[in-house]
Amino acid sequence: MPTMIPNRMTRGLTMLVDLLLIISSYGLAFSILRGQMTPKNYEAFGSVAPWILLISVLFLGIYELDRLVQHDMWDLVRKLAISLTFIMLLTMTVSFFFREFALPRSVLLLAHVLAFILLLIWKGAYTKYSQLSRKGKVMFIGSEEEFAEMEHSLSTFLSKSSYVRWYDKRESLAQLRTKLMEYDVVFLGSGLDEGKKDRLMFHAMKKKKLVYVVPKVNDMLLMNTSVTTMDDTMVMQVKPFTLTLTQLLIKRAVDIAASSVMLIATLPVMLLTAIAIKLEDGGPIFFKQERLGKNHQPFNILKFRSMVMDAEAKTGPTLAKSDDDRITKTGKFIRKTRIDELPQLINVLIGDMSLVGPRPERDFFAEKFQRENKWFNYRHAVKPGITGYAQVMGKYTTNVDKKLKFDLHYIRNYSFWLDCIILMQTILVVINKAKSEGEATPQKAGRVYRKSEKVSVK
């Protein structure tokens, strides 16, 4: 069964085909409009072509279009539409900057429409074929709850002829080792005993099985560590979750510049939103709430009000649900589009927040999460953000432990470039309804998965 993590050669070949199709789309555009073209038009394209390729590599990489492993047509459409829009806009900017005015805007527009069609056909066929070729038996060893959370993701990755079976982490090591021989891929859950996990991993690798491990939160401590020696002993340097002074200065400078520009650019949207909120029920436009910032320092977060006034007067502190009747009509729209978050640019400008970072929590929930997971406080090592790694990689309904892993991964691997990628990928979050829906309303318990049951993959 092939890996779900594409290797560099596969990604390189995928990117090469993408670039060939983008250049071919320009060739088609020139052919369609050849009656309107002059030699100067072709010369201008020749001068800009290297920049088109460079910009294409940049945005195809940012939106991970070189490493597609799951066949989700709407996700593919969204990623292609956004990446090609940026490629076209930057190509226009480059042609203007280098004074290549002879490159017709009609060619640029038609070429990117054709590129969208060609890339959609190519990538749709490739991911579908790749999915159909993933034939194999998957063994999941862990808790029933964790398997239930991951089953859908696994089913979208596998072909119809493949299946996943769950085995309880409490079963004996001998039984699990025997069953392991029947499978091609082994998933080890985060709740598995460390001793048993080590032995199962050793046995699986010995038998040439592909192994995936769901990490615990404390496993994040060992990420991005430095290895050295003390005499003849290898040691790993585990650094605290924090940013260097240089990183903090760069991050703050970017926050001030970007938030100022974004406040000016979004002012018309904010004015229209304020009018809509006021007209609906006559209540206050903004909603202030105390949240915890860096080093647990409280601050008042600013949002457009999306719920009825005094929404928690009867319920007390509670998370919003997808069908929450406290959300106003205007509130539903601004939540889906994330317009309600725009006033937080003011929080960024004055220094309470950053553009990118872990989402700020209320003290009530922070204390609750800290009791449940001792590592939760480490996410307060940096300023909270309007968007974050957990928001672009997960969903609104992703549980706290999973979000915490993403947040700690972000802090441990922080870079200016990572911030740029998260900001660009936030656009996908805004236009993807599933990413912005509130906490799901509890449903009746579904069927129970037994270790001997064949799990449907479709």
Side-chain angles (χ1 to χ4, degrees):
M1 179 179 171
T3 174
M4 64 174 66
I5 304 175
N7 57 41
R8 290 183 179 180
M9 180 175 289
T10 301
R11 290 170 56 195
L13 290 173
T14 302
M15 183 69 77
L16 180 61
V17 174
D18 292 348
L19 296 178
L20 289 173
L21 289 176
I22 289 173
I23 292 299
S24 297
S25 69
Y26 274 91
L28 288 172
F30 274 112
S31 296
I32 294 171
L33 301 173
R34 60 181 177 272
Q36 306 171 28
M37 298 297 106
T38 66
K40 288 186 177 181
N41 299 136
Y42 295 103
E43 290 174 8
F45 171 70
S47 300
V48 176
W51 290 100
I52 295 174
L53 293 175
L54 183 61
I55 294 167
S56 298
V57 169
L58 176 66
F59 283 98
L60 292 174
I62 286 176
Y63 289 102
E64 300 182 338
L65 286 163
D66 59 333
R67 58 177 77 191
L68 295 173
V69 294
Q70 292 186 342
H71 186 74
D72 184 338
M73 186 56 71
W74 284 114
D75 186 51
L76 179 58
V77 168
R78 284 189 290 266
K79 288 182 176 180
L80 281 175
I82 294 172
S83 59
L84 287 171
T85 298
F86 276 116
I87 292 169
M88 182 178 68
L89 292 175
L90 278 183
T91 300
M92 289 180 177
T93 303
V94 167
S95 65
F96 179 82
F97 182 79
F98 288 102
R99 306 186 70 79
E100 296 293 349
F101 303 122
L103 182 59
R105 296 295 179 260
S106 57
V107 170
L108 282 170
L109 181 59
L110 180 58
H112 284 84
V113 171
L114 292 171
F116 176 83
I117 296 170
L118 292 175
L119 287 171
L120 183 62
I121 294 172
W122 142 244
K123 289 188 174 296
Y126 173 78
T127 53
K128 189 63 178 178
Y129 170 78
S130 180
Q131 184 185 41
L132 293 174
S133 66
R134 298 184 190 117
K135 298 177 181 179
K137 300 176 182 179
V138 179
M139 177 186 196
F140 187 99
I141 306 172
S143 68
E144 186 177 4
E145 292 77 13
E146 190 169 34
F147 171 70
E149 289 179 356
M150 292 188 63
E151 187 225 350
H152 176 70
S153 298
L154 289 169
S155 68
T156 56
F157 176 75
L158 299 172
S159 65
K160 291 182 178 180
S161 59
S162 301
Y163 63 87
V164 187
R165 283 180 181 168
W166 164 67
Y167 288 82
D168 198 314
K169 63 182 181 180
R170 294 170 294 186
E171 290 201 22
S172 70
L173 179 63
Q175 288 177 312
L176 292 172
R177 286 179 57 178
T178 300
K179 290 292 183 182
L180 187 145
M181 296 301 298
E182 303 173 10
Y183 295 88
D184 305 297
V185 180
V186 180
F187 275 81
L188 303 178
S190 60
L192 198 60
D193 174 75
E194 287 299 321
K196 185 180 288 187
K197 182 189 293 184
D198 289 342
R199 289 176 173 82
L200 285 170
M201 194 183 306
F202 175 82
H203 186 69
M205 293 176 69
K206 182 179 178 181
K207 299 300 181 181
K208 310 297 184 184
K209 307 293 183 181
L210 192 58
V211 180
Y212 293 95
V213 179
V214 182
K216 293 181 178 179
V217 174
N218 58 329
D219 292 332
M220 313 302 290
L221 289 168
L222 299 178
M223 288 190 172
N224 201 21
T225 54
S226 300
V227 178
T228 187
T229 58
M230 294 184 67
D231 196 8
D232 59 350
T233 303
M234 180 183 289
V235 295
M236 298 174 67
Q237 182 187 61
V238 182
K239 298 178 181 179
F241 284 99
T242 186
L243 305 185
T244 66
L245 179 60
T246 301
Q247 289 174 329
L248 290 171
L249 290 174
I250 293 173
K251 193 172 177 63
R252 182 60 187 145
V254 172
D255 283 341
I256 293 172
S259 61
S260 299
V261 172
M262 292 171 71
L263 275 169
I264 295 171
T266 59
L267 187 58
V269 176
M270 295 176 71
L271 287 174
L272 289 174
T273 303
I275 294 170
I277 293 172
K278 200 68 179 178
L279 289 176
E280 181 167 356
D281 60 11
I285 295 169
F286 296 108
F287 171 72
K288 291 183 180 180
Q289 191 177 71
E290 188 176 275
R291 299 285 180 98
L292 294 182
K294 184 179 178 182
N295 299 324
H296 298 84
Q297 293 299 312
F299 72 97
N300 287 319
I301 195 171
L302 191 62
K303 287 186 174 187
F304 281 122
R305 183 173 59 87
S306 60
M307 289 189 173
V308 297
M309 292 178 285
D310 301 321
E312 294 184 343
K314 296 181 179 179
T315 63
T318 181
L319 296 174
K321 294 179 171 55
S322 56
D323 58 350
D324 202 319
D325 58 7
R326 299 174 300 166
I327 301 175
T328 63
K329 292 179 181 179
T330 303
K332 289 180 181 179
F333 175 76
I334 63 176
R335 275 174 172 263
K336 286 180 180 179
T337 56
R338 301 300 174 99
I339 291 174
D340 64 320
E341 311 282 1
L342 287 179
Q344 290 170 46
L345 291 169
I346 298 172
N347 289 115
V348 174
L349 189 61
I350 64 179
D352 293 329
M353 295 176 65
S354 177
L355 287 175
V356 181
R359 286 295 295 161
E361 291 288 352
R362 298 166 66 177
D363 186 51
F364 174 86
F365 292 113
E367 288 185 4
K368 175 178 179 290
F369 298 149
Q370 174 65 21
R371 289 194 298 269
E372 296 171 353
N373 192 319
K374 63 183 180 181
W375 300 106
F376 186 80
N377 276 343
Y378 281 101
R379 70 195 298 277
H380 295 115
V382 297
K383 287 182 181 179
I386 295 178
T387 185
Y389 196 56
Q391 280 62 52
V392 300
M393 299 304 293
K395 301 177 182 179
Y396 190 93
T397 53
T398 299
N399 68 46
V400 176
D401 280 348
K402 289 183 179 180
K403 286 185 177 180
L404 179 59
K405 292 175 186 177
F406 287 126
D407 288 333
L408 296 184
H409 177 85
Y410 166 76
I411 298 171
R412 178 66 87 200
N413 297 277
Y414 169 78
S415 69
F416 170 72
W417 179 238
L418 179 58
D419 269 5
C420 292
I421 291 175
I422 292 172
L423 287 170
M424 298 297 290
Q425 291 190 344
T426 299
I427 300 172
L428 287 172
V429 177
V430 172
I431 65 175
N432 188 351
K433 180 182 177 182
K435 291 275 190 177
S436 59
E437 289 179 335
E439 185 182 45
T441 303
Q443 303 291 327
K444 293 181 179 180
R447 63 191 180 100
V448 176
Y449 298 100
R450 300 301 176 191
K451 64 179 182 180
S452 60
E453 182 179 355
K454 183 173 180 179
V455 179
S456 171
V457 299
K458 286 291 176 184

